[in-house]
Amino acid sequence: MDEKTMVSDALWGINGELKFFGDVIAQTEEPSLKQTLKQMRNKCEMSQEELYQIARAKSYYVPASKATDEEVAHVRSLFTQSSVM
């Protein structure tokens, strides 16, 4: 297995963990457990960011081009309209 594949697999796994933490935190009522889960999620996010930066530096990951101002305004208007209803 090459390095690019390992980084990609690690990112995929971390992204799954982040989704899991989001689901579990939202369903947890006990305050100290919720806080612990948030701390674990934050560490996981930091790991994801580090791996992402490595992937970018080595050109393993090339992000999509940035949205134009018009595209951002359009999406913002969609959310503004839906929250008013």
Side-chain angles (χ1 to χ4, degrees), residues 9-23 44 48:
D9 286 352
L11 279 170
W12 187 84
I14 289 174
N15 288 337
E17 288 179 33
L18 288 170
K19 290 176 187 174
F20 170 77
F21 280 123
D23 292 342
C44 190
Q48 193 273 353

Side-chain angles (χ1 to χ4, degrees), residues 28-39:
T28 302
E29 291 186 32
E30 206 281 308
S32 65
L33 176 59
K34 186 176 278 223
Q35 185 60 34
T36 299
L37 290 168
K38 287 179 180 180
Q39 290 170 350

Side-chain angles (χ1 to χ4, degrees), residues 1 8 15 20-21 24 29-32 38-40 43-44 50 55 70 73 76 81 85:
M1 184 180 291
S8 177
N15 288 337
F20 170 77
F21 280 123
V24 172
E29 291 186 32
E30 206 281 308
S32 65
K38 287 179 180 180
Q39 290 170 350
M40 292 171 69
K43 288 180 183 177
C44 190
E50 287 179 40
E70 293 81 18
R76 184 174 288 134
Q81 291 171 3
M85 295 177 181

